């Protein structure tokens, strides 16, 4: 990004081919051709990686009962053939009929939402509701996400008037107040994940990284994600809401009733991978747990 804005003003950067056009504008034709070749060469690699990963992700979700069993079936070679066919056809349809400008915003927003969910999950695993109000933490997180998104959306699209600035400032103050309440009223969990009923003893002499200043750091991460999402077009944000609504409906209609956790419980030994480390030798760098 620094190199690109060093060659061109951010208002002149090509949204389709940034570096080739920037080099061309500065008269460096050989670099323009080289970076254009690099873009064309790496795009199929990215597509291939996506095609490989998506069926495996579907397989893992099916094994947990969140998707129909078809997606978890493996052929004689150990590959999820049906899942790969489904993902491939779906990707071809999207690539054929949906303009890239919409897909670009949609994919970017989806990744940011995934990061936001990760931040929320970290707070849930590291903090717990007080005994006097067992639902306090989830409620505060819902309100924080709502006010953060409203604040960022107003900052991006509604600050043309003093009223917009005042509304954004008010919503931002409420977001800060909620994050402070999470810190004050929701004490640290005695063990990682204690509030979820699936606590894991990963502390002691084991090697792990612990995120500092929870919940402030995860809350700041969520706010930053929402600020980036709010920069997208309203159409892209609308697509994101439609996809999120579909995913939530899919979960409550199918996943919530068929999940392994609901039917068999989480006590099965295949879900106790973290606890197994307690009986082994100290964790190596690759086994370090991030909390």
């Amino acid at each position: 990004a620094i190199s690109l804005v060093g060659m061109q003003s951010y208002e002149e950067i090509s949204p389709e081919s940034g570096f080739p056009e920037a080099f061309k504008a500065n008269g460096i034709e050989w670099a323009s051709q080289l970076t254009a070749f690099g873009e064309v060469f790496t795009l199929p690699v990215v597509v291939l990686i996506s095609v490989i990963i998506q069926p495996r992700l579907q397989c893992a979700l099916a094994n947990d009962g969140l998707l129909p069993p078809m997606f978890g079936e493996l052929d004689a070679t150990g590959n999820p053939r049906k899942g790969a066919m489904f993902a491939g056809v779906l990707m071809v349809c999207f690539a054929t009929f949906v303009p890239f400008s919409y897909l670009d915003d949609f994919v970017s927003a989806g990744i940011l939402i995934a990061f936001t969910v990760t931040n929320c999950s970290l707070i849930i695993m590291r903090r717990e509701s007080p005994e006097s109000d067992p639902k306090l933490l989830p409620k505060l997180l819902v309100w924080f996400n709502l006010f953060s998104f409203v604040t960022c959306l107003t900052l991006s699209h509604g600050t043309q008037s003093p009223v917009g600035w005042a509304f954004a400032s008010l919503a931002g103050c409420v977001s800060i107040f909620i994050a402070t309440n999470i810190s004050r009223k929701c004490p640290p969990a005695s063990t990682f994940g204690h509030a979820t009923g699936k606590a894991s003893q990963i502390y002691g002499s084991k090697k792990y990284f612990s995120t500092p200043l929870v919940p402030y750091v995860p809350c700041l991460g969520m706010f930053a994600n929402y600020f980036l999402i709010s920069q997208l077009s309203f159409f892209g944000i609308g697509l994101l809401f439609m996809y999120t609504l579909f995913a939530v409906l899919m979960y409550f209609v199918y996943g919530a009733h068929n999940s392994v956790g609901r039917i068999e419980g989480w006590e099965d030994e295949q879900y106790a991978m973290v606890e197994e480390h307690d009986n082994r030798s100290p964790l190596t760098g690759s086994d370090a747990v991030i909390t």
Side-chain angles (χ1 to χ4, degrees):
I2 294 175
S3 301
L4 196 54
V5 296
M7 292 189 289
Q8 268 189 321
S9 169
Y10 74 94
E11 297 175 341
E12 301 174 357
I13 294 175
S14 170
E16 289 82 20
S17 188
F19 276 98
E21 292 300 325
F23 280 121
K24 184 182 293 185
N26 285 273
I28 312 176
E29 189 65 29
W30 67 268
S32 175
Q33 296 297 327
L34 182 63
T35 51
F37 171 78
E39 288 182 352
V40 174
F41 180 77
T42 54
L43 279 174
V45 176
V46 175
V47 172
L48 178 62
I49 293 174
S50 300
V51 172
I52 292 174
I53 292 176
Q54 184 63 33
R56 291 293 176 180
L57 175 60
Q58 295 168 179
C59 182
L61 290 171
N63 290 337
D64 286 344
L66 301 179
L67 285 179
M70 176 192 77
F71 295 100
E73 295 177 5
L74 303 178
D75 61 15
T77 61
N79 293 309
R81 183 182 299 273
K82 293 180 180 179
M85 293 293 293
F86 176 84
V89 171
L90 196 63
M91 290 180 187
V92 169
C93 291
F94 270 105
T96 303
F97 299 108
V98 181
F100 178 76
S101 57
Y102 297 154
L103 280 179
D104 190 23
D105 288 350
F106 181 64
V107 172
S108 299
I111 293 173
L112 291 170
I113 286 294
F115 291 158
T116 299
V117 172
T118 302
N119 284 314
C120 276
S121 301
L122 177 58
I123 296 176
I124 291 172
M125 298 297 281
R126 290 278 298 274
R127 294 275 176 163
E128 58 186 0
S129 299
E131 294 183 2
S132 58
D133 190 354
K135 300 294 184 182
L136 180 62
L137 181 57
K139 288 189 291 187
L140 288 177
L141 283 174
V142 169
W143 284 115
F144 178 82
N145 280 273
L146 176 62
F147 277 97
S148 294
F149 182 71
V150 170
T151 302
C152 295
L153 198 63
T154 307
L155 286 174
S156 299
H157 300 282
T159 53
Q160 293 80 11
S161 66
V163 176
W165 278 109
F167 184 78
S169 300
L170 178 61
C173 290
V174 173
S175 300
I176 295 174
F177 175 75
I178 294 172
T180 304
N181 271 345
I182 294 176
S183 178
R184 289 193 311 108
K185 297 184 178 181
C186 300
S190 56
T191 55
F192 186 69
H194 180 266
T196 65
K198 297 182 282 291
S200 298
Q201 296 287 349
I202 60 174
Y203 296 91
S205 61
K206 300 298 188 295
K207 183 178 181 181
Y208 70 95
F209 170 79
S210 181
T211 304
L213 299 176
V214 175
Y216 296 109
V217 170
C219 285
L220 182 61
M222 287 187 278
F223 188 87
N225 293 333
Y226 284 130
F227 185 73
L228 292 174
I229 292 174
S230 67
Q231 308 297 312
L232 305 176
S233 65
F234 282 111
F235 184 81
I237 295 175
L239 283 178
L240 175 64
F241 272 111
M242 290 174 59
Y243 172 76
T244 304
L245 180 61
F246 172 78
V248 171
L249 288 175
M250 181 69 182
Y251 173 75
F252 283 108
V253 170
Y254 183 88
H257 299 284
N258 297 277
S259 70
V260 172
R262 180 179 182 274
I263 296 175
E264 301 179 12
W266 295 106
E267 303 304 322
D268 193 283
E269 60 183 20
Q270 64 175 315
Y271 300 107
M273 296 179 65
V274 175
E275 287 84 351
E276 288 178 3
H277 283 299
D278 292 337
N279 299 321
R280 298 179 185 173
S281 57
L283 296 175
T284 62
S286 59
D287 292 327
V289 181
I290 298 178
T291 63

